[in-house]
Amino acid sequence: MGIFDKLKDVNEMRKQAKQIELLLGQEIITGTSGGDKIKISMDGNQNIKSVEVDASIAGDKSEIARHIRSALEDLFKKQKKMLQSKFGSMMQQ
């Protein structure tokens, strides 16, 4: 395999990476805490799109922190499932 073949392979990999990035950008995943007190949405490229906080916990820092953790755990679990469904053959568990 010559240097030009390797450059072609690298260029093809870049194109595939860009396609994957575009595909993931279209996926929206939402994680929620218990009772839907906090909802966090992000796209498949891990860009946060929105954070919603229920008014009932708005003044309680410890309650907010607990619900953020719960929502993030849910979000990452759902993201992992989405990635496995889209790219399962490429991912190792």
Side-chain angles (χ1 to χ4, degrees), residues 77-91:
K77 182 174 69 175
K78 289 177 180 176
Q79 179 195 28
K80 183 177 179 181
K81 284 182 182 179
M82 181 272 297
L83 289 172
Q84 286 175 338
S85 72
K86 294 221 175 274
F87 308 106
S89 62
M90 295 169 42
M91 295 177 65

Side-chain angles (χ1 to χ4, degrees), residues 5-21:
D5 291 329
K6 289 180 183 179
L7 287 174
K8 247 197 266 185
D9 289 345
V10 169
N11 191 36
E12 184 62 31
M13 287 173 36
R14 281 188 184 142
K15 285 180 186 177
Q16 289 175 352
K18 188 66 175 170
Q19 290 173 338
I20 290 170
E21 184 179 352

Side-chain angles (χ1 to χ4, degrees), residues 17-30:
K18 188 66 175 170
Q19 290 173 338
I20 290 170
E21 184 179 352
L22 291 172
L23 177 70
L24 289 175
Q26 296 173 358
E27 294 291 325
I28 300 295
I29 307 123
T30 301

Side-chain angles (χ1 to χ4, degrees), residues 27-90:
E27 294 291 325
I28 300 295
I29 307 123
T30 301
T32 58
S33 66
D36 291 339
K37 299 294 183 185
I38 291 190
K39 295 179 184 178
I40 302 172
S41 296
M42 72 177 186
D43 67 17
N45 292 315
Q46 297 184 340
N47 297 311
I48 301 296
K49 297 298 182 180
S50 67
V51 176
E52 298 174 33
V53 178
D54 189 274
S56 67
I57 63 167
D60 188 342
K61 287 182 182 181
S62 65
E63 192 70 4
I64 290 172
R66 186 173 68 79
H67 281 280
I68 287 174
R69 179 181 174 154
S70 176
L72 286 172
E73 287 171 351
D74 184 52
L75 181 66
F76 294 141
K77 182 174 69 175
K78 289 177 180 176
Q79 179 195 28
K80 183 177 179 181
K81 284 182 182 179
M82 181 272 297
L83 289 172
Q84 286 175 338
S85 72
K86 294 221 175 274
F87 308 106
S89 62
M90 295 169 42

